[in-house]
């Protein structure tokens, strides 16, 4: 029988990470890279994992998979995963994994595999990994569209507005160093916000306004304004204590290479990923690769995206 295939895209947050946790809008888009899940008929429903993973990683993945499988009616298939995404870099690898697995399970079970249904069930897997995320990661991965996301208070679901970009939206993604897990960065910020609520709440609100302004710029094809909004967002992320020397250095490097805007993306902290918005990212990527920087380009939206 033909195997079933499910894809989950990685994601970048263009504007609004962290403040999205507090109910403000975030602008996010899918990468052309992600996780592919393949299912073939088998005696029972199980996940086949490569031997390179640690015992803890295997247990977590198996547990998350079983939770999703049960909800999809546990079709009798063996599922294998293949990832093109670097792990723990803020590019949504766990959300992509959850989306790919859920999508393939729903397909194998002959159930509704619409983006909304995939997102709803992928969240069950994400919760095994992350507790209570804002939901922007797995929603962007399941929708595979550029979108403005606003969390429903206290939940990992939210309101989604899909954005049409009249111009291609091209980013350069550069990886710098290691970083601590997202939940630690989110918890440390939560502690600062609880201690000094007024100052932090003000900054979250300002970032939310930037995300809305950025969405408008995207729809108007005004990439120069979008770039400027990204730069200002980076300044506010630094103000919130979410940046670090290696991230800042890469931000300035990308701006020096002609980025319209550059900022950290995802949780930030000691390291992770930095994105630059470019009209033509290829020369900058070639230059950075020559210098040994791990980087790639992706088109997030617009004509001929994906
Ligand atoms: C992580 O990709 C994005 C954060 O805003 C966390 C979340 O939304 O749950 C840092």
């Amino acid at each position: 029988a033909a195997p079933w295939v499910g894809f989950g895209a990685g994601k970048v947050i263009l504007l609004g990470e962290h403040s999205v946790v507090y109910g403000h809008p975030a602008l996010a888009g899918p990468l052309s890279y992600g996780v592919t899940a393949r299912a073939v008929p088998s005696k029972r429903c199980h996940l086949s994992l490569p031997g390179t993973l640690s015992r803890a990683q295997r247990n977590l993945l198996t547990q998350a998979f079983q939770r999703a499988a049960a909800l999809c009616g546990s079709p009798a298939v063996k599922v294998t995963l293949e990832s093109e995404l670097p792990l723990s870099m803020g590019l949504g690898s766990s959300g992509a994994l959850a989306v790919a697995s859920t999508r393939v399970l729903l397909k194998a079970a002959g159930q509704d595999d619409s983006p909304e249904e995939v997102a709803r069930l992928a969240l069950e897997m994400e919760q095994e990994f992350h507790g209570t995320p804002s939901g922007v990661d797995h929603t962007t991965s399941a929708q595979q569209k550029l979108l403005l996301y606003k969390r429903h208070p206290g939940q990992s679901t939210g309101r989604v507005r899909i954005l049409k970009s009249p111009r291609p939206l091209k980013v350069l993604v550069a990886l710098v160093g290691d970083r601590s897990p997202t939940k630690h960065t989110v918890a440390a910020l939560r502690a600062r916000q609880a201690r000094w609520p007024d100052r932090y709440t003000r900054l979250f609100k300002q970032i939310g306004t930037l995300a809305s302004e950025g969405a408008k710029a995207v729809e108007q094809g005004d990439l120069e304004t979008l770039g400027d909004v990204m730069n200002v967002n980076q300044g506010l992320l630094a103000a919130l204590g979410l940046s670090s020397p290696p991230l800042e250095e890469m931000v300035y490097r990308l701006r020096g290479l002609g980025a319209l805007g550059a900022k950290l993306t995802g949780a930030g902290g000691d390291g992770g990923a930095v994105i630059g918005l470019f009209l033509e990212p290829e020369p900058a990527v070639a230059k950075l690769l020559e210098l040994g920087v791990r980087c790639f380009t992706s088109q997030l939206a617009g004509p001929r995206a994906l």
Side-chain angles (χ1 to χ4, degrees):
W4 296 274
V5 181
F7 180 71
K11 69 92 199 21
V12 287
I13 298 183
L14 274 172
L15 297 163
E17 48 274 274
H18 286 286
S19 40
V20 69
V21 172
Y22 298 81
H24 300 287
L27 181 61
L31 292 169
S32 22
Y33 304 98
V35 176
T36 303
R38 289 190 172 80
V40 290
S42 177
K43 286 206 183 66
R44 62 194 173 87
C45 186
H46 67 289
L47 180 66
S48 164
L49 289 169
T52 47
L53 296 177
S54 72
R55 203 189 166 83
Q57 285 172 321
R58 299 176 75 87
N59 285 346
L60 180 65
L61 274 172
T62 306
Q63 210 167 313
F65 177 82
Q66 291 305 344
R67 189 159 154 183
L71 289 163
C72 299
S74 299
V77 288
K78 178 176 92 170
V79 174
T80 50
L81 299 169
E82 200 182 298
S83 175
E84 306 160 316
L85 293 172
L87 301 178
S88 315
M89 274 291 170
L91 300 177
S93 55
S94 72
L97 188 146
V99 165
S101 312
T102 309
R103 189 163 266 153
V104 88
L105 284 166
L106 286 170
K107 280 188 180 170
Q111 293 189 31
D112 171 15
D113 66 341
S114 63
E116 292 72 25
E117 193 55 15
V118 169
R120 194 175 72 78
L121 296 175
L123 169 61
E124 298 280 335
M125 273 185 93
E126 266 285 80
Q127 280 171 336
E128 285 293 331
F129 303 134
H130 285 314
T132 314
S134 71
V136 67
D137 286 20
H138 77 276
T139 302
T140 308
S141 178
Q143 291 282 351
Q144 235 182 318
K145 297 255 162 58
L146 184 76
L147 48 86
L148 195 67
Y149 178 88
K150 195 169 189 297
R151 177 184 199 178
H152 297 315
Q155 295 185 32
S156 297
T157 55
R159 203 176 67 210
V160 172
R161 185 154 78 79
I162 293 181
L163 301 177
K164 285 222 169 65
S165 173
R167 290 175 71 186
L169 217 61
K170 296 181 188 175
V171 292
L172 185 162
V173 182
L175 308 177
V176 267
D178 293 330
R179 69 178 183 99
S180 33
T182 297
K183 60 177 168 201
H184 294 180
T185 317
V186 169
L189 177 61
R190 170 77 68 191
R192 292 196 288 279
Q193 185 262 352
R195 184 165 178 195
W196 299 292
D198 290 354
R199 187 163 43 254
Y200 280 76
T201 303
R202 241 171 13 236
L203 287 170
F204 292 145
K205 200 164 165 226
Q206 279 190 40
I207 294 175
T209 306
L210 292 178
S212 303
E213 285 172 4
K216 202 163 139 199
V218 165
E219 290 180 317
Q220 293 175 342
D222 183 354
L223 301 189
E224 291 69 25
T225 297
L226 178 62
D228 185 67
V229 174
M230 287 169 67
N231 287 339
V232 175
N233 191 168
Q234 172 63 24
L236 296 185
L237 285 164
L240 289 168
L242 296 162
S243 196
S244 55
L247 290 173
E248 289 296 327
E249 198 202 322
M250 187 56 72
V251 163
Y252 282 96
R253 228 164 156 179
L254 296 190
R255 289 179 193 161
L257 287 166
L260 299 172
K263 61 182 275 295
L264 70 86
T265 185
D270 298 334
V274 173
I275 48 168
L277 178 70
F278 282 85
L279 296 178
E280 289 302 336
E282 282 74 19
V285 160
K287 188 159 236 163
L288 290 174
L289 285 174
E290 229 178 78
L291 297 168
V293 175
R294 291 168 69 199
C295 61
F296 61 91
T297 63
S298 194
Q299 185 175 328
L300 303 181
R304 280 186 293 116
L306 301 168

